[in-house]
């Protein structure tokens, strides 16, 4: 039985650029990358990404559509959110990626949010690329205010398992921040789980994206489960290395993360085997 590929998200080297993400993945021996589309022009360009892929021999396994709020990506690939997803699909198809990662809409994206579940379902029927909706976490928008309360930021909601999406991305840092039962969320995703963002979290209000094993998430248990069940999606390290003081320190964190992922995909966690066997992915 082949094990899932372990890739590096290019955002894991932030504030370094996309090219650094590719080079880091190649240097440390990752199986490929997930391209986070950001304000970096290289991340937006099929030709630039193809040159990096071919020049370094690093496959592109997934494309993360430009959904991030904190990087101010509202105008990357235009302002139409559906157009962003069409572009992400095209990039994935051109470059051999299997998955497009997408966030649930924000509540202020009114019509897009209202049509998102049905519209994404229609888009999925047009391609073999998997649109995998990512679990987020509850937070309050600073506006608008309705009466005395502020509305939730995501619509139809931050927990994608409450909707009928064809595919999911499970992000373990987000599940830590939301303080959800991660194994229960994994169970609800079931065979629609297409993609794993591997990171860790302590359960604080911050979205920490720790190196796996440094927080409280069941990273080892989930990896063991995916390894035993022949998971056909990808495992992507999406960790925060912004505190690294230099390249060597960042490399040490990302090498530790890669070693952790591969070890637990093979070994799992014996203490959780009984629980994990009850979940089908």
């Amino acid at each position: 039985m082949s094990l899932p590929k372990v890739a590096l998200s290019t955002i894991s080297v932030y504030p370094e650029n996309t090219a650094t993400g590719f080079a880091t993945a190649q240097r440390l021996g990752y199986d490929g990358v997930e391209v986070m589309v950001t304000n970096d022009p290289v991340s937006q360009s099929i030709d630039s990404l193809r040159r990096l892929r071919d020049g370094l021999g690093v496959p592109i396994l997934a494309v993360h559509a430009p959904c991030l709020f904190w990087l101010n990506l509202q105008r990357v690939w235009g302002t139409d959110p559906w157009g962003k997803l069409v572009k992400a699909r095209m990039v994935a198809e051109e470059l051999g990626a299997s998955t497009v990662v997408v966030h649930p809409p924000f509540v202020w994206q009114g019509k897009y949010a209202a049509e998102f579940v049905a519209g994404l379902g229609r888009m999925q029927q047009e391609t073999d690329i998997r649109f995998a909706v990512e679990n987020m976490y509850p937070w309050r928008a600073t506006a608008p205010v309705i009466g005395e309360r502020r509305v939730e930021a995501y619509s139809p909601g931050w927990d994608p398992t409450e909707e009928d999406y064809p595919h999911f991305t499970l992000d373990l840092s987000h599940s830590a921040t939301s303080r959800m039962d991660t194994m229960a969320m994994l169970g609800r995703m079931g065979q629609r789980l297409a993609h794993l963002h591997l990171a860790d979290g302590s359960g604080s209000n911050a979205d920490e994206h720790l190196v796996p094993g440094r927080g409280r998430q069941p990273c080892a248990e989930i990896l063991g489960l995916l390894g035993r069940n022949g998971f056909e999606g990808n495992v992507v390290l999406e960790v925060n290395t912004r505190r690294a003081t230099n390249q060597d320190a960042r490399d040490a964190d990302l090498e530790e993360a890669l070693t952790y992922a591969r070890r637990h995909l093979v070994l799992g966690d014996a203490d959780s085997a009984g629980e994990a066997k009850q979940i089908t992915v």
Side-chain angles (χ1 to χ4, degrees):
M1 180 185 299
S2 61
L3 293 174
K5 292 181 179 179
V6 181
L8 179 67
S9 170
T10 56
I11 201 66
S12 295
V13 302
Y14 183 85
E16 300 295 333
N17 60 24
T18 303
T20 300
F22 273 80
T24 301
Q26 192 269 346
R27 185 170 59 251
L28 298 181
Y30 279 81
D31 296 319
V33 297
E34 173 182 309
V35 174
M36 175 72 79
V37 180
T38 67
N39 290 307
D40 178 0
V42 170
S43 73
Q44 304 170 27
S45 165
I46 290 177
D47 290 340
S48 297
L49 293 172
R50 183 182 289 111
R51 284 193 292 270
L52 283 170
R53 180 197 66 183
D54 296 345
L56 292 171
V58 177
I60 298 170
L61 304 183
V63 175
H64 195 309
C67 308
L68 288 176
F69 182 68
W70 63 273
L71 280 180
N72 192 27
L73 304 184
Q74 286 84 353
R75 296 186 180 278
V76 172
W77 285 348
T79 58
D80 174 21
W82 289 117
K84 294 174 186 282
L85 297 189
V86 170
K87 178 69 172 182
R89 183 192 68 191
M90 182 177 70
V91 172
E93 290 172 341
E94 286 283 332
L95 298 177
S98 62
T99 304
V100 168
V101 178
V102 59
H103 290 181
F106 294 111
V107 68
W108 53 83
Q109 294 177 295
K111 186 178 180 181
Y112 173 63
E115 298 175 351
F116 183 69
V117 178
L120 195 67
R122 288 192 296 269
M123 289 186 69
Q124 185 62 79
Q125 294 175 7
E126 299 170 356
T127 181
D128 292 331
I129 301 297
R130 295 172 296 188
F131 286 98
V133 183
E134 186 171 357
N135 61 299
M136 301 305 292
Y137 45 85
W139 60 283
R140 300 278 183 182
T142 56
V145 178
I146 299 178
E148 296 298 320
R149 67 181 182 86
R150 299 185 186 278
V151 300
E152 291 288 349
Y154 293 105
S155 176
W158 58 267
D159 181 355
T161 65
E162 295 180 349
E163 305 297 334
D164 188 24
Y165 297 121
H167 301 290
F168 298 113
T169 295
L170 176 60
D171 186 300
L172 299 184
S173 179
H174 296 173
S175 61
T177 303
S178 68
R179 300 185 177 91
M180 291 291 289
D181 181 333
T182 305
M183 297 303 289
M185 177 175 281
L186 177 64
R188 293 195 298 275
M189 290 182 173
Q191 294 187 357
R192 287 184 288 168
L193 175 68
H195 203 66
L196 178 69
H197 277 168
L198 179 60
D200 215 332
S202 66
S204 75
N205 290 329
D207 182 16
E208 297 169 295
H209 285 275
L210 303 175
V211 171
R214 297 185 186 178
R216 300 176 183 172
Q217 285 296 284
C219 299
E221 294 93 326
I222 289 173
L223 289 168
L225 173 64
L226 298 184
R228 286 190 296 274
N229 283 9
F231 178 58
E232 295 181 353
N234 297 311
V235 174
V236 175
L237 272 301
E238 191 183 74
V239 299
N240 183 346
T241 61
R242 277 174 279 174
R243 293 186 179 182
T245 56
N246 52 43
Q247 177 182 298
D248 288 343
R250 184 177 64 234
D251 279 2
D253 281 348
L254 296 178
E255 188 169 25
E256 177 185 332
L258 176 60
T259 299
Y260 183 101
R262 286 181 171 158
R263 180 173 71 247
H264 288 291
L265 280 169
V266 173
L267 298 177
D269 187 301
D271 291 338
S272 67
E275 177 185 7
K277 287 178 182 177
Q278 304 304 312
I279 298 174
T280 301
V281 294

